[in-house]
Amino acid sequence: MDKGTLIEFRLQGERRLAVADRPEGKKNWIVIDERGQSHSLKPQRVEYEVGGGYTPSEIAPFRAEVEDYLDPDSLEVAWELLVEEASPVSSADLAQLLFDEQNPVVCYAAHLLLSDDKIYFKKKADVYEPRSAAQVAEIKHQQTVEEQRLREREEFLQRVQEALAGNEVIWQDSDRLRLEALEKCALQPENSHRLAQEILAALNRPQNPDAAFQLLVDLKRWSIHENLFLRRSSYPVQFPQKVLDVSQQRLESISCDPDPNRLDLTRFKVYTIDDESTEEIDDGLSVEPVEDGRLRLWIHIADPSRLVRLGDELDLEARRRSTSLYLPTGMIPMFPKELATGPMSLIQGQVCAALSFGVILDEIGKVEDYTIHASWIKPTYRLTYDDVDEMLELGVQAEPEIAHLAEAAALRSSWRKSQGSIDIRMPESSIKVKNEEEIAITLLDDSRSRQLVAEMMILAGEVAGRYAQQHGIPMPFRGQPQPELPPEEELLSLPPGPVRFCAMRRCMPRSEMGITPARHAGLGLDLYTQVTSPIRRYTDLLAHFQIKAHLRGESLPLTGVELQAIVFSVTAASQEATLVERQTNRYWGLEYLRRNPQEIWQVLVLRWLREDENLGLILLEDLGLELPHRFNRAVRLGDRLEVQVSTADPRQDVIRFRELANSQAEAAAI
């Protein structure tokens, strides 16, 4: 390189032209660019030599002259001429081909075209080879895709700004991926979400899950109380269209009943007893006088298997869901709602298909005789628990069956206690939310009516289990290992009621499900299977399939191995659904407390979580909510305190209380 040579180099990625001025050391040259700035360059930094005889003042005119030749479309012409022969070209060759000369201006223009090109040519040593037609087509396709992506991104951001401004926006199909990315970012904080972060950055918002959640709320895609527990679960909120289509077909025309010889029990009074809000009515009760003045108790269970075939779309969807989901904001049914609350349910005044369990008890409450039939019934009364409690209290003479059922339930409860049942009665509550504005928390009374229904359902489960054991039918049996309860003197040292029950509850092992009979310690039964909720619990439906096939004298639809595999998958799904219900109830319980910061709550000290840290579990007695609390004074189990909410954040699952001075604990200390 000589003084006056015009060269090209890069400075922080920017292309620069400069003129060689003088050597520096053995290899470097001092060059001066068009701005008059000097640079010390190693030879390898020189990317192109234009030629000699230039001064820095001539760089700008030279660059302007080059601009006239920089037409990228001309490269495509050159490529078309060279691609078939795959002939490599230098900058000078391309200048000759395009401009029919090789002066410094056109040669440098050719160099710029080739070095900036990303489509037609690729550099190899000091020359450029034309890419194949297939390669060029693919590159153009990728460029088109990227241009479309960028265009869609800008249009998406425009729609976002419109929505944030309060204007109505029609989201496009191309927006789905970006909106889903925001949802995933909010739902999966442990993962990285590049696309969501790009969107948040473009909107000058923090790039974190909370910001993604808030953006979805601001866009009115989500509610501020969006159920993230449900969204994170695999539980489907909507039914697939093919399931809805089958459901509609069954509504319009019920196919052939697999049980044509049903026992006609429509002559009996049938009482359905549920909460007022219950929509899936799956059990009813009757009483039939028999010889010697004794009574046969009838437990009628709705028969959805009349409308469902094992392995059809309805069955597979119910299996996937495993259970109906009962949330404060409403129910998500296991079957499409029109079926579940319509022809599957036991509806007052209508002839309904059922699986009926007729049971005669002996004088101490043990099952003496039983019978099981696919049946027809006609529910007479739809009663609430309050209705039945009132009838029992008033001794309504016109409905003696209610009193008979209550007496039988008490007898059964006494018999199960003699068999070792473990009675734990912790306060329970029902949380109902209307339009996310009204939250109502109601304590569920441990009333005679609820005990009546519970005992009859347990009785049906024992009878079904007996029938399956007697005939060798694989069934989804439920068992519970014997717990190791605290010593009697230890339990008696605890205050009676919730504190003592809480200590017992901690010792109770989780119930288990298998295809062979197992003792259920909590219920005091040697065998037990759930059959009373086939509309809302899939394992109950499986039991119906098995029992009804045997009653008809047909081969069982499921072998033990097949049943075990289904029970395993359904149990896992059911546990996930139960967790969603528990988390959602806790969220709305905390939200209720957050909205009532001035309310004074009386709480009971239930048990210690970490006694050395004064961290315990308290029961809000008016609400039936159990929550952690760190005490700021000495308390004992069973003490009652008055507290107010100091901090509540349901989204972060945070609740803190402050203790009020006029509590029992302080009075006792004084």
Side-chain angles (χ1 to χ4, degrees), residues 87 271 282:
S87 302
Y271 304 90
D282 50 17

Side-chain angles (χ1 to χ4, degrees), residues 183-197:
E183 292 179 359
K184 289 178 181 177
C185 181
L187 294 171
Q188 302 167 358
E190 68 280 2
N191 296 336
S192 175
H193 302 278
R194 184 180 57 81
L195 180 55
Q197 291 169 345

Side-chain angles (χ1 to χ4, degrees), residues 300-318:
H300 309 289
I301 308 302
D303 185 10
S305 66
R306 181 172 72 111
L307 299 164
V308 181
R309 300 293 177 265
L310 194 65
D312 72 4
E313 296 291 350
L314 290 174
D315 173 67
L316 295 177
E317 181 66 16

Side-chain angles (χ1 to χ4, degrees), residues 24 157 279 345 481 632:
E24 183 184 52
L157 292 174
E279 297 179 82
S345 285
N632 58 19

Side-chain angles (χ1 to χ4, degrees), residues 49 52 171 266 272 284 288 300 330 342 397 452 469 660:
E49 286 191 17
W171 299 102
T266 55
T272 63
E288 176 191 12
H300 309 289
Q397 298 298 313
L452 182 162
Q469 183 185 51
L660 303 183

Side-chain angles (χ1 to χ4, degrees), residues 401-429:
E401 294 88 349
I402 294 293
H404 293 323
L405 288 166
E407 291 166 4
L411 192 63
R412 278 291 294 174
S413 177
S414 177
W415 178 80
R416 287 195 304 105
K417 286 179 183 177
S418 73
Q419 302 302 302
S421 69
I422 301 170
D423 191 17
I424 297 177
R425 299 185 182 182
M426 293 295 293
E428 293 184 51
S429 60

Side-chain angles (χ1 to χ4, degrees), residues 483-497:
E484 294 184 9
L485 295 176
E488 186 175 358
E489 60 272 16
E490 183 179 328
L491 280 177
L492 292 176
S493 70
L494 296 172

Side-chain angles (χ1 to χ4, degrees), residues 228-268:
L228 301 189
F229 313 113
L230 178 59
R231 284 190 170 273
R232 289 188 184 112
S233 76
S234 59
Y235 196 96
V237 177
Q238 304 296 332
F239 284 94
Q241 188 58 49
K242 58 184 179 181
V243 174
L244 295 176
D245 292 342
V246 172
S247 174
Q248 187 60 38
Q249 292 169 11
R250 302 288 161 85
L251 285 168
E252 294 172 356
S253 176
I254 296 176
S255 57
C256 181
D257 191 345
D259 299 284
N261 300 315
R262 291 179 179 271
L263 181 64
D264 188 350
L265 300 178
T266 55
R267 65 188 183 279
F268 293 145

